[in-house]
Amino acid sequence: MMESKSPVCNTCGEEIGLKSNGEFFVACHECSFPICKACLEYEFKEGRRICLRCGNPYDENVFDDVETKTSKNQATIATTHINNTPTQDSGIHARHISTVSTIDSELNDEYGNPIWKNRVESWKDKKSNKKKKKKDTKKTKAEEHEASQIPPQQHMEDQPNTEATDVLSVVIPIPRTKITSYRIVIIMRLIILALFFNYRITHPVDSAYGLWLTSVICEIWFAVSWVLDQFPKWSPINRETYIDRLSARFEREGEISQLAAVDFFVSTVDPLKEPPLITANTVLSILALDYPVDKVSCYVSDDGAAMLSFESLVETADFARKWVPFCKKYSIEPRAPEFYFSLKIDYLRDKVQPSFVKERRAMKRDYEEFKVRMNALVSKAQKTPEEGWTMQDGTSWPGNNTRDHPGMIQVFLGYSGARDIEGNELPRLVYVSREKRPGYQHHKKAGAENALVRVSAVLTNAPFILNLDCDHYVNNSKAVREAMCFLMDPIVGQDVCYVQFPQRFDGIDKSDRYANRNIVFFDVNMRGLDGIQGPVYVGTGCVFRRQALYGYSPPSKPRILPQSSSSCCCLTKKKPAQDPSELYKDAKREELDAAIFNLGDLDNYDEYERSMLISQTSFEKTFGLSAVFIESTLMENGGVPDSVNPSTLIKEAIHVISCGYEEKTEWGKEIGWIYGSITEDILTGFKMHCRGWRSIYCMPLRPAFKGSAPINLSDRLHQVLRWALGSVEIFLSRHCPLWYGCSGGRLKWLQRMAYINTIVYPFTSLPLVAYCTLPAICLLTGKFIIPTLSNIASMLFLGLFISIILTSVLELRWSGVSIEDLWRNEQFWVIGGVSAHLFAVFQGFLKMLAGLDTNFTVTSKTAEDLEFGELYIVKWTTLLIPPTTLLIVNLVGVVAGFSDALNKGYEAWGPLFGKVFFAFWVILHLYPFLKGLMGRQNRTPTIVVLWSILLASVFSLVWVRINPFVSRTDTTGLSQNCLLIDC
């Protein structure tokens, strides 16, 4: 029978202990950071009174009514050590305290040099000793006694230097002068909105009651949408990393690097839409990273099973043997050859080696030859032979039938594979194409990513995973080191599930006509979320903790202690009664976890009980029928299990990507990338945050990754349609943030508000279309949605406009976003809202009610040879009809309004101003769309013009039928005069 143990102190490794009421000692009630009383007392005496994890101040009453198993010994040891006079009986606990206490110290040896070598070795020994299963209890006690006899001098020699123990990253809050004024304006705007709606609701327009009611409903929805978008930006922060400290701590000269390994995932589907040359540049930039080669593995997922992708990867692996040593020798940036050679900068700047010019010219020639070979492969793949593709050895390509083919894995480079031209090792490069058979659900990109998770776990099992789209190359060779400053930090990184980098793009026109850069989202919204529980996952440029993908909860989560299967003769300590509401909350929390227990709980069992526990909890039902993969999931620090035969790894890897492997498991439900939406990224990050994890937003000065975006209007709208449709699917699923995980209590309410905003924004299209139609109706009918304004009402309207402007100005001030980027974002919010978002709402409900599925359209990743040539191409799509109709209707309304004012005289010009201003607001927001319709030659697809004219004619006929120029009394008088004249 196992004895229940209390959680372990994160600082010293000792048990935290219990209060007199039987509950565990908790120092920080915000994040439940595990720290014992002795370590906390030392922190207080050193003047550090804030939590090491969340930064909130400790409660002064945390020391009341505490009792630990070794309270007297720990208190005595801690006190003597703090006074720098440790006694002979000072044991392990004292040495653990000294380890953490030297963060701010500057202890040197007798020659004045900082010492940390022995300390790091001591860390390693303690870490390995904790993980070893101790079968002999007497031997363990003897070892502890021997350790306690270490002389005081050794304690001093064990101290690390300051550089090795300094924090790897810091949070830089927004200056108080900027953020305080920003928050005050937000509150003022909220108050003004309340007064504004009070006036609008209490002052209806009787002559246009339908228009007034519609406008009020739309305005209320817009206000709710603004609140959901605004308040998650309440506490924006910046972060700064220290890569040099990371190297000092984990990369000592003359020793093996202790940096964590990283598995890179690159996914591609159709090589004709996602050109192999772009994918090759992404792979080359990964292989040339400034990171230890034995710590990098690149997995390329070919979900289309195309022989073109396979052959292009063969060419890429061969060219990498030349490209990688060139990049590392001269430290060039970026390390994607296509983008490096196209840079219009002085490439000789900061280069001092005389051989650089010669080698650069030779490398550019080699790359151009590489491009020619890739183009030849693409040209050959344009026409598929009737008998299918054949490989060089004469055998048929297994993926000739893209919907019915076996799984394929090919390792090109690696530790024992081909080396570069200088004889150095290269990172591992693996081609993966999962098995596909008719009758199985493959779940598109999410399914491909989960297949890569399993393959990489079997072959390399790095503790961290970085996924990239095929068109997103590594622009900063130190990007992984930036992420490791968070993930490998023992304090900051414990509860971090992923580090998200902002998306940056190449090949976008300077004016960014269709807001392709999404600057407002990445530089404003995401930094706001980083101050709460972390940014949302955006699908690419993200470094994951593998254990978080497996559904495990963060270490700070209250652990489920082992329950003893005791018989009646076993005496157990009676636990205090727990409040039923707390029991219900605990049960709800458990529902959010994919794993049956935390990884840390396994340490409380011996080897036999651990194996029995694994068997009893049926890991197969969670992770699938693979013993190798299941064993890899229990290795928190990664690495391939020693018990696995290397010769069987490829066979096992083929097994875990079989099409039936996920049947009756938790894949896609609770672990891995989550299924149920074509925007699997939002859903996956949301599940992690619900389990209590937090994420980090990393914005290095040099962008970490860069990609391409569809700059064509039609392609851009289809991309936005896909994102909006995914949000609607999540809204209609069981994972809707409105209610999912509410009882668990781990998702902060501002974070939930942000997730709610990500799923309800497509529904804003309905009131937005109605609101953009109102100006034309008002101009055509001569009515208006607002009554004659009083002085108070005028002040409210003026105050509302001023608060909107001030909010934007102050947001630009702390974020650094330009006013042009903000305006482009506002414009495309209207363009996308009245087109793609509107269609997404209807398609989402059709899919739910009628089962009509929509196909995932891969957006084009290339452009014409002419600079921004694709920007001016107009492709037919039904998404163009609603905004074109709104443009024509409002233009017709403006003409009708001016005609009406000319007929009625001077008195009609005052009411006309508000209506025309309203109409011009719509036209200005749709102006980029109008320019996109015109194209370079000012030509618009005929079908778009016909449909738009047809719909505009309907509104014109309504206007003619209403005939606002002549009142009904005038019409009666005119008819009587006609009768008298006998006309």
Side-chain angles (χ1 to χ4, degrees), residues 632-851:
S632 71
T633 63
L634 302 177
M635 304 180 68
E636 190 172 359
N637 296 319
V640 179
D642 297 332
S643 59
V644 177
N645 185 358
S647 61
T648 63
L649 288 180
I650 294 295
K651 182 179 179 181
E652 192 68 24
I654 291 289
H655 168 61
V656 298
I657 61 171
S658 59
C659 57
Y661 183 84
E662 295 183 357
E663 294 292 321
K664 298 181 180 180
T665 66
E666 295 297 325
W667 283 101
K669 302 173 185 175
E670 298 294 341
I671 61 177
W673 269 258
I674 305 301
Y675 305 149
S677 171
I678 57 177
T679 52
E680 69 289 328
D681 44 8
I682 295 177
L683 203 52
T684 302
F686 174 63
K687 293 278 285 188
M688 292 182 183
H689 284 138
C690 283
R691 294 189 185 107
W693 291 96
R694 66 156 294 123
S695 54
I696 297 289
Y697 196 51
C698 183
M699 297 181 65
L701 294 178
R702 180 180 180 86
F705 309 101
K706 280 191 174 183
S708 59
I711 62 175
N712 175 263
L713 174 60
S714 301
D715 289 340
R716 172 68 167 144
L717 289 178
H718 274 287
Q719 183 187 55
V720 175
L721 170 65
R722 175 179 174 267
W723 295 342
L725 180 59
S727 297
V728 175
E729 289 176 341
I730 297 175
F731 178 82
L732 300 175
S733 71
R734 72 181 185 92
H735 292 116
C736 179
L738 286 169
W739 53 75
Y740 183 82
C742 287
S743 301
R746 296 199 193 115
L747 189 67
K748 296 184 178 180
W749 68 274
L750 281 178
Q751 190 79 15
R752 182 177 298 278
M753 188 180 291
Y755 273 112
I756 292 173
N757 187 45
T758 61
I759 64 159
V760 301
Y761 77 89
F763 297 95
T764 307
S765 60
L766 299 174
L768 186 60
V769 170
Y771 211 67
C772 290
T773 310
L774 285 177
I777 296 177
C778 291
L779 287 167
L780 292 172
T781 60
K783 300 175 182 178
F784 201 41
I785 58 176
I786 299 174
T788 304
L789 296 179
S790 61
N791 292 334
I792 297 178
S794 301
M795 293 290 291
L796 280 176
F797 276 88
L798 184 62
L800 182 61
F801 282 119
I802 292 176
S803 66
I804 292 173
I805 295 172
L806 282 178
T807 306
S808 301
V809 169
L810 294 175
E811 202 166 86
L812 297 179
R813 188 182 172 204
W814 67 255
S815 66
V817 175
S818 67
I819 191 170
E820 183 181 7
D821 290 325
L822 183 66
W823 174 238
R824 290 291 184 228
N825 183 75
E826 288 294 322
Q827 285 180 313
F828 199 79
W829 174 74
V830 176
I831 294 172
V834 299
S835 57
H837 299 172
L838 182 66
F839 278 78
V841 172
F842 288 108
Q843 287 186 17
F845 278 99
L846 284 175
K847 183 177 180 180
M848 182 191 71
L849 299 176

